[in-house]
Structures are given as structure tokens and as C-alpha cells.
Amino acid sequence: MTKLPTTLFTNGRVFLSGVRPGTNAGLHLAPTFASALLVRGTHIALVGDASDPAVAAARADPHTVVRDLGGKTLFPGFVDGHMHLMMMGQSLNKLDLGLCKSLVGIQTAIRAYADENPDVSRILCRGWMHSMTPGHVTAKDLDGLDGERNRAILIDTKDLHSTWCNTAGIKELGADEWADVPGGTIERDGNGKPTGVFNEAANITYVWPFLAKVATMAERTTAIEAAVAAYHEAGYTGLIDMAMDEGAWDALQALRKEGPIPMRIAAYWLVRPSKTEAENLAQVERAIELAREFNASTTPDCRIVGVKVICDGIIDACTAGLTEPYSHNGHLEVPLWTFEQLEPVVRRADEAGLQIALHAIGDATIKMVVDILTAHAASERRPRVEHIELASEADVVRLGEGRITASIQPVHADPAILRAWPKLIGEHRCGRAFAYREFADAGAPLALGSDAPTAPHTPLGNVYVGATRRSYREPGLETVVNPHFALGLCEAVAAATEGAAYSCFDDHRIGVLEKGYRADLVIADMEWEKEKLMQAKVTETWYNGAKVWSAED
């Protein structure tokens, strides 16, 4: 009989959260640490003290590999509660415009990139924010940047809700033939011709599938592999993909045929707004079909968990659904989905046993989705709301009462990217932004995610913003966003591990360091102070009892 490989981790701090999802840990809960952890094969065999007899016996066994942590901290593998897997991988090869401050800066960066990359078939960029280009931009602002090559230029907004392209891009997309879609806008000139900017449902319906289609299977699988490698380096062993579609799913299955993917992947099928209820429900039926085949029993590390619906836009683009008009222009945007359109989708998905994940950022949209989840989503199926950036106090209470998971991304609360908010929604509403403390106090389970590639994906950076309300992007920035809504360090780490695992029904095997759980581990060199998390460094990541990344390699 082959003896299972055994690794003993000692002389460090083994994090034991003690913060179960939906419990109110508060700001000042002290961490609990063990001093030894024993891994046998793919599972945790023991968590305790170096003085335990079982630890001494393991140390005496010549087959045991003893790892001296040297005072470092051992965490459960982090689980990204909300991200976009293939888009994350693809973004690693896109020109990052995130540091640009103006249209001129964007143009300069693209022109230089085009000259340095003459062989790419199209110029793909990311990180554009509307605040960089006050007023309207069009394809003409990008024309001529590529000289005689005149390749298509396509730019994602930071949040992925809009795409801006040049005239060659309009032609390659075939956008002149596109019809308007519910919940989206194709910006047009006086003659009805597209001007090069596609927002919300138009972007999701047309641009996303185009980019997936033109990417070869090799490019798609390579993107996924790159994202997994980047996530190992950051300290993740699990992730939740929040916009799965056919192109990404086919690529995942192609990779799985080559061998196991060293990442626990839970996916939510994206339901796009269509013109008829039948078309909407057909997408739900596809998710049901896939979930019957790929689920926790059959393929626990690559499964369809539920459906995702993007119910409104974002505040930066003035497309989030608010109860009172935007302060700068008096406009009142409506959600991408109405109650009447969304209700049958939620009802059918819940009847089939799928989880429901609803993107809601503005207070009007948050109220609508909480109304629908309360009426039609069984609490035992752990319904969830994504982002929840501007919630009313009344709806926060209802999140807790309904045990609705608050899926939050503290990196979106970074002060460096909120400079336009006071103008857009007024100081009075900014005071309700990112009310994480209220979510925890009300008893809503918390799941931390990054929404990568829209924001930095490092888990400890995410925890830093959640616990300090300071900037991870610009460490020298003194601005603090609503510090009274901060999370405690323990509960933020717990939400990034056990909470995220709970949110997709994986908390029975990952997310905590307990006997019998999978040996998904992260070693970090850090001090246990929220203000010093910026200096924390992940040094090793282990998946299923094997090291998959090391800073020393």
C-alpha cells in the first residue's frame, strides 16, 4: 500500500477564523491561531499545537516533510467570490490604460503600443474610465493612432460595461448592422450610424461574444491557464466566475480533457436581456441543462452553480438604477431589467435548484432585486446580490433577514477611483456608499471578490481596502471612504475564504483550515495589522496538498 505524502507545517501562525458566514464578528475580533498543521495526501489531517502527540509522531515519521514557516501566517486558500476567468486571462495581454489621465494620454499610450506591436491582429486595451474623457468620445478620437496599418482598436472600460472603438473597429464588429437591445445603448450620430461606443447590454450582447468568437480555442485556453497561474501567485485556490458563457465554458472543457485544472471553479451562467420572456428563459434552461451534467457531485472543481443577471450598470457611467436623479444632469436611469422581466427568470432558476446571483449597484435596483429574491428565491439556496454599492438602510436590513449573501468587492471602494462620485450623485448619497459594516451587522453573509479584471485581484489588497477604506491603487492617497463602514480584519479575511466558499456551496470542503478539509493553503509573510497589509506578501500557494506556486521558484 502506497503511503500518502505527508507535510507538517510548524513554527508559524495557522489562521482559524471563527467567523461563520452571517455572524457579526465586529471590528475588533482577535484572531485565533494554531501553531501546527498536518497534511496527509490531499486533505488536512490535523490542526493543533506543536506539542500535540500526533504532531510529534508525524515529525518522527521519516516520510514526513517538515516545513518550518519561520513565523509566517498560514491561511486557507483564498477564494475570489466574483471574477471573470477568461476575461481575466485575456486582459493580461491587453494594453492597460489605467494610469492615463486624459484623452491625450490614452492616445499617446495606444500610438506607442501600436508601433511596438506591429504583428497583433487588433489592438485591445483595458482600464478606460469615463472620468478620463469628460464629455463624449467617438471612434474619430482613436482613428489614425495605428497609421497605415489601421487595425481595429477596442477599449474596455475598467468595469467592462462599455467598449469604445475606432472606425476600423466598428467595421470589424459589424456594428452598422446592430439593432438596439433592451438595457443597452449603441451611441449613434444624427444619421443613426454607430459612433464607436457601446454600453451595458449592447456591449454584453454584441462585443463580448464577438471577442470570444474571434479568439481561437488555443487563445482561449491559454488565457484561462494564464489567469489560473496569476491567481496562484496571488494566493487563490478557488474562484467564482460571474459571467460564464459558451465560449469560456467550451475552453474550460477543452482544458479539462488535457488534465485537472488546479483551481476550484464555480460558475454562474450569464443571462443576457433579450426581447422576449421566452428568449430569457431559454438561457435559464441552458444553465439548468449544464448544471445537471456539471455539478458538485459529478465535477466538483468545475461546475455550474447558478445564473447571473446584470440588473443595472455602474455609477461612473451613470447607468446604475437610482431612486433620485443623478446630481450633475438630472437624469434618472432605469435598471437594465424591469421587475416584470426579471421575475420569471428568477422564479424558473430557483424552481430548478439553481442559485441566483443578481448584479445591483444603485439603490433602486438593489430594492428591486431584494424584492424579487425575497419573493422567489429560497434562502436555503443562498441567493446573492453582487456589488451592492449604494444600498438603503431598509434594504440592508432585508439582506440580513433573508440570509441573502452580500457579494462585495472592496477594491471598487478604493478612493482613487471614486473621485467623480460627489459630482455624479452628490455628497449626501456618497455617505451611503459601500456600507459593508451595516451588511455584517444586519447578519448578511459576506463574500469578498475582486471582479477581476476590472480591479486589482490580490486578496490581501482587497482585505486592506475593506478594513481600512483607504486606497490600494494609490497608497499615498490620504482620502478615506466612509470609515464607519469598515470591516474588521478577521471578518474580512473570513469573507475572502470561508465566506466566498459558503456563497457557492463549497464551505463543506474548502475555506477553513480544519481536519478533513482539502489542503488548499496559502503562506503569507505579514504582520497582523490592517494598516500593514500593503507590505504583506504571499510566498507559497498549495492546492490539494501540493505546492503550485512559490516566490522562490
Side-chain angles (χ1 to χ4, degrees), residues 91-109:
S91 76
L92 298 174
N93 291 319
K94 292 183 179 182
L95 171 62
D96 186 2
L97 303 175
L99 296 179
C100 295
K101 304 293 185 183
S102 65
L103 175 60
V104 172
I106 290 172
Q107 292 169 330
T108 301

Side-chain angles (χ1 to χ4, degrees), residues 320-406:
L322 303 180
T323 55
E324 63 177 275
Y326 283 86
S327 299
H328 70 301
N329 61 12
H331 291 178
L332 184 64
E333 299 296 330
V334 297
L336 303 183
W337 291 70
T338 66
F339 186 100
E340 292 72 24
Q341 292 167 329
L342 186 60
E343 186 177 38
V345 168
V346 171
R347 186 170 57 240
R348 175 63 186 127
D350 188 74
E351 288 171 353
L354 296 181
Q355 278 188 284
I356 317 294
L358 302 179
H359 163 125
I361 284 179
D363 57 349
T365 310
I366 292 168
K367 181 182 185 304
M368 179 185 72
V369 304
V370 174
D371 286 345
I372 288 178
L373 292 177
T374 300
H376 299 295
S379 59
E380 61 268 23
R381 279 192 268 282
R382 302 180 187 177
R384 46 191 293 161
V385 182
E386 310 302 309
H387 309 308
I388 329 178
E389 294 186 1
L390 201 66
S392 70
E393 292 183 58
D395 288 326
V396 169
V397 171
R398 293 201 297 155
L399 286 174
E401 290 175 344
R403 293 282 297 179
I404 298 171
T405 295

Side-chain angles (χ1 to χ4, degrees), residues 131-152:
S131 58
M132 297 174 183
T133 53
H136 291 288
V137 293
T138 69
K140 293 180 180 178
D141 294 308
L142 302 176
D143 289 344
L145 300 181
D146 191 30
E148 294 182 358
R149 288 183 291 265
N150 194 31
R151 290 166 290 183

Side-chain angles (χ1 to χ4, degrees), residues 148-481:
E148 294 182 358
R149 288 183 291 265
N150 194 31
R151 290 166 290 183
I153 301 172
L154 293 95
I155 306 176
D156 298 331
T157 47
K158 177 185 68 63
D159 46 70
L160 300 179
H161 282 244
S162 299
T163 295
W164 169 26
C165 68
N166 63 349
T167 300
I170 293 174
K171 182 178 180 180
E172 186 174 27
L173 289 166
D176 282 329
E177 307 302 320
W178 290 351
D180 293 334
V181 294
T185 55
I186 299 171
E187 296 188 11
R188 302 180 185 274
D189 63 20
N191 297 316
K193 295 292 186 180
T195 60
V197 178
F198 313 100
N199 303 306
E200 303 300 345
N203 191 42
I204 297 166
T205 301
Y206 293 124
V207 182
W208 287 11
F210 169 83
L211 290 173
K213 180 180 179 180
V214 298
T216 65
M217 179 61 76
E219 288 172 336
R220 283 181 274 161
T221 55
T222 297
I224 291 172
E225 290 175 316
V228 170
Y231 263 48
H232 284 161
E233 182 175 352
Y236 290 108
T237 55
L239 59 85
I240 298 174
D241 185 290
M242 266 297 163
M244 185 58 64
D245 60 14
E246 299 287 358
W249 188 252
D250 288 347
L252 270 174
Q253 302 321 304
L255 273 179
R256 289 181 62 241
K257 289 179 181 178
E258 298 176 7
I261 302 171
M263 181 67 63
R264 311 210 187 272
I265 301 170
Y268 290 73
W269 198 255
L270 180 62
V271 178
R272 298 179 172 92
S274 300
K275 292 182 179 179
T276 68
E277 180 177 315
E279 290 174 300
N280 291 334
L281 291 177
Q283 298 176 73
V284 179
E285 294 302 326
R286 176 58 173 155
I288 294 169
E289 175 189 14
L290 288 170
R292 288 194 184 111
E293 182 177 358
F294 303 95
N295 53 62
S297 298
T298 58
T299 57
D301 294 322
C302 187
R303 58 199 170 97
I304 299 293
V305 185
V307 295
K308 156 78 176 301
V309 184
I310 301 175
C311 298
D312 69 349
I314 60 166
I315 287 173
D316 299 88
C318 303
T319 51
L322 303 180
T323 55
E324 63 177 275
Y326 283 86
S327 299
H328 70 301
N329 61 12
H331 291 178
L332 184 64
E333 299 296 330
V334 297
L336 303 183
W337 291 70
T338 66
F339 186 100
E340 292 72 24
Q341 292 167 329
L342 186 60
E343 186 177 38
V345 168
V346 171
R347 186 170 57 240
R348 175 63 186 127
D350 188 74
E351 288 171 353
L354 296 181
Q355 278 188 284
I356 317 294
L358 302 179
H359 163 125
I361 284 179
D363 57 349
T365 310
I366 292 168
K367 181 182 185 304
M368 179 185 72
V369 304
V370 174
D371 286 345
I372 288 178
L373 292 177
T374 300
H376 299 295
S379 59
E380 61 268 23
R381 279 192 268 282
R382 302 180 187 177
R384 46 191 293 161
V385 182
E386 310 302 309
H387 309 308
I388 329 178
E389 294 186 1
L390 201 66
S392 70
E393 292 183 58
D395 288 326
V396 169
V397 171
R398 293 201 297 155
L399 286 174
E401 290 175 344
R403 293 282 297 179
I404 298 171
T405 295
S407 173
I408 57 177
Q409 298 75 43
V411 279
H412 285 333
D414 191 309
I417 60 173
L418 301 179
R419 292 183 172 100
W421 278 43
K423 175 185 175 182
L424 298 179
I425 63 174
E427 293 284 357
H428 64 295
R429 280 185 285 185
C430 287
R432 290 292 311 160
F434 307 99
Y436 302 156
R437 176 77 266 136
E438 286 187 0
F439 301 165
D441 291 345
L446 302 180
L448 255 66
S450 71
D451 202 17
T454 73
H457 62 279
T458 54
L460 291 175
N462 208 2
V463 169
Y464 171 79
V465 180
T468 66
R469 311 290 289 207
R470 293 183 176 274
S471 179
Y472 176 77
R473 293 169 181 261
E474 298 181 20
L477 191 63
E478 293 297 323
T479 307
V480 183
V481 174

